[in-house]
């Protein structure tokens, strides 16, 4: 089963009250994907139930819990124990620069609606707003903008730094008018080449082929920084067996085990497919025997492999993202 299907099966095993509580922590895109998977489930076999539970146990065995939406979790618990008024007062004390609530509202709007709201705004305003959204809907909004506007927005996303209180107040007025929500006035540190690269990778159409060359003409160093961040470990999943085999010849075994331990079992298939059965079994055994790893250790191992893959691509020994000269 796919990961989303295993999550759907796990939810179906829970009681209605427990499932509702879990669904309440999900964002709109997550709810949509999970709802589709749940509706598509037919009769659930015993082995599928076992697979879903095993996946849950694997996730529960991780050393760290993600910090995403932690303030929202704390707020929910405080509201249940103290009531909404006292909870709001406490959150102001422990989280004085909380994320603007208007952005929470924007996360639930369809990308095509957001485009209608912001397409006439200054590129700097659009860049700031996109950085406050989830990456996937932000990329959909970027894809729907005009080509010239896309270049201006991505360039600003890569260079934007601290946002002044005056700028935040201006965005506050815009969002209050457009979607009826308030916006906090604290300075925000946002953006960077990684965020710009993530949006380009997720955008549809020819965004990478038009935006990056245009930015390179204005700022070659900035374009190179964005390109560096666009090369991700997940891109290696698309390597053909020959290219993967060439990469694995130079990969340190310890780095490979650490890198693969941090991804789902089905995502390891392209790596094992490029090995002999004996070598693949050996790596699988080492993954099982490896103790807990922090997220930083996994990411460091994956970065090492990515850097090696990039070198091989530049030497023309492997192909990633097509062989037409586009950025990867």
């Amino acid at each position: 089963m796919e990961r989303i299907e295993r999550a759907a099966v796990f939810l179906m095993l829970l009681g209605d009250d427990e499932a509702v509580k879990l669904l309440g922590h999900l964002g709109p895109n997550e709810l949509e994907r999970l709802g589709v998977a749940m509706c598509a489930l037919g009769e659930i076999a015993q082995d599928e139930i076992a697979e879903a539970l095993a996946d849950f146990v694997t996730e529960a065995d991780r050393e760290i819990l993600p910090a995403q939406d932690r303030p929202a979790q704390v707020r929910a618990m405080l509201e249940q124990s103290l009531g909404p008024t006292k909870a709001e007062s406490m959150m102001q004390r422990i989280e004085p620069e909380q994320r603007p609530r208007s952005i929470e509202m924007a996360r639930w709007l369809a990308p095509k609606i957001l485009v209608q709201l912001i397409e006439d705004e200054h590129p700097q305003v659009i860049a700031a707003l996109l950085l406050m959204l989830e990456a996937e809907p932000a990329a959909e909004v970027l894809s729907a903008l005009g080509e010239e506007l896309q270049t201006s927005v991505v360039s600003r996303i890569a260079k934007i730094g601290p946002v002044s209180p005056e700028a935040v107040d201006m965005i506050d007025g815009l969002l209050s008018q457009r979607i009826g929500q308030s916006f906090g006035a604290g300075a925000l540190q946002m953006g960077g080449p990684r965020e710009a690269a993530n949006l380009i990778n997720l955008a549809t159409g020819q965004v990478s082929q038009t935006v990056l060359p245009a930015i390179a003409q204005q700022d070659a160093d900035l374009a190179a920084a964005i390109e560096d961040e666009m090369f991700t470990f997940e891109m290696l999943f698309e390597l053909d067996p020959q290219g993967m085999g060439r990469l694995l010849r130079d990969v340190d075994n310890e780095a490979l085990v650490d890198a693969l331990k941090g991804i789902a079992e089905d995502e390891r298939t392209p790596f094992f497919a490029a090995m002999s059965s004996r070598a693949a079994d050996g790596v699988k055994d080492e993954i099982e025997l490896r103790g807990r790893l922090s997220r930083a250790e996994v990411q460091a191992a994956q970065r090492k492999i990515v850097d090696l893959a990039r070198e091989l691509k530049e030497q023309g020994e492997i192909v990633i993202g097509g062989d037409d000269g586009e950025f990867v």
Side-chain angles (χ1 to χ4, degrees):
M1 291 186 295
E2 296 290 335
R3 198 78 182 278
I4 190 69
E5 294 172 329
R6 294 196 291 268
V9 171
F10 180 79
L11 273 176
M12 298 297 290
L13 295 174
L14 301 177
D16 290 346
D17 291 341
E18 290 78 8
V20 167
K21 290 178 182 178
L22 286 177
L23 290 173
H25 291 288
L26 302 181
N29 293 331
E30 296 167 325
L31 278 174
E32 180 181 357
R33 292 180 59 212
L34 190 55
V36 170
M38 293 175 71
C39 290
L41 287 175
E43 183 173 314
I44 304 173
Q46 186 174 6
D47 60 334
E48 294 174 324
I49 294 176
E51 183 179 343
L53 291 175
D55 190 52
F56 172 77
V57 171
T58 299
E59 286 299 310
D61 195 44
R62 292 184 184 276
E63 183 175 355
I64 60 175
L65 292 173
Q68 183 178 9
D69 291 335
R70 187 62 52 75
Q73 297 174 8
V74 174
R75 178 183 292 276
M77 289 187 288
L78 289 177
E79 287 182 349
Q80 289 185 24
S81 60
L82 302 176
T85 302
K86 291 182 179 179
E88 177 62 29
S89 176
M90 182 60 67
M91 289 301 296
Q92 288 291 336
R93 292 168 60 184
I94 66 179
E95 190 197 17
E97 294 184 355
Q98 56 186 308
R99 183 164 62 173
R101 294 184 179 179
S102 54
I103 303 306
E104 289 298 320
M105 179 66 180
R107 292 176 63 235
W108 291 88
L109 297 177
K112 64 180 181 180
I113 301 298
L114 284 175
V115 170
Q116 296 173 4
L117 294 178
I118 68 173
E119 62 183 348
D120 294 330
E121 296 301 325
H122 191 279
Q124 188 79 359
V125 174
I126 298 176
L129 288 176
L130 291 186
L131 285 167
M132 298 176 196
L133 302 176
E134 300 270 344
E136 287 80 3
E140 288 188 48
V141 172
L142 177 66
S143 301
L145 300 175
E147 183 176 306
E148 183 176 347
L149 186 54
Q150 287 176 341
T151 299
S152 298
V153 169
V154 172
S155 179
R156 284 168 169 79
I157 286 174
K159 294 189 292 187
I160 196 169
V163 179
S164 68
E166 293 78 15
V168 175
D169 284 339
M170 183 274 293
I171 298 177
D172 178 26
L174 169 66
L175 293 182
S176 296
Q177 176 185 2
R178 299 295 176 88
I179 58 177
Q181 296 291 323
S182 62
F183 193 86
L188 303 175
Q189 179 70 38
M190 302 182 300
R194 176 173 298 180
E195 284 73 14
N198 194 27
L199 283 179
I200 293 174
N201 281 336
L202 291 169
T204 58
Q206 303 298 314
V207 175
S208 64
Q209 297 183 35
T210 57
V211 168
L212 274 177
I215 292 177
Q217 292 180 355
Q218 304 168 11
D219 190 333
D221 291 338
L222 179 62
I226 297 174
E227 184 186 3
D228 286 341
E229 295 294 345
M230 290 176 66
F231 205 120
T232 66
F233 187 73
E234 288 71 22
M235 286 184 174
L236 302 182
F237 302 167
E238 304 301 323
L239 277 173
D240 58 44
Q242 182 178 357
M244 180 64 78
R246 174 63 189 90
L247 172 64
L248 293 179
R249 287 207 303 271
D250 292 350
V251 172
D252 176 74
N253 190 68
E254 292 295 312
L256 179 62
V257 171
D258 289 353
L260 295 186
K261 187 173 179 64
I263 62 177
E265 188 171 344
D266 56 346
E267 293 175 336
R268 301 168 186 166
T269 301
F271 296 86
F272 294 145
M275 305 177 189
S276 67
S277 298
R278 181 177 179 180
D281 289 341
V283 173
K284 291 176 183 178
D285 290 342
E286 289 189 58
I287 291 174
E288 291 296 325
L289 295 173
R290 182 75 90 234
R292 289 184 174 183
L293 296 175
S294 69
R295 180 68 63 184
E297 290 174 313
V298 171
Q299 290 175 342
Q302 292 178 349
R303 186 74 248 174
K304 185 183 297 185
I305 297 175
V306 166
D307 290 342
L308 175 59
R310 186 181 181 90
E311 292 178 8
L312 293 175
K313 178 187 180 299
E314 291 174 352
Q315 296 167 9
E317 296 196 45
I318 63 174
V319 176
I320 299 179
D323 195 24
D324 54 1
E326 69 179 275
F327 290 87
V328 295

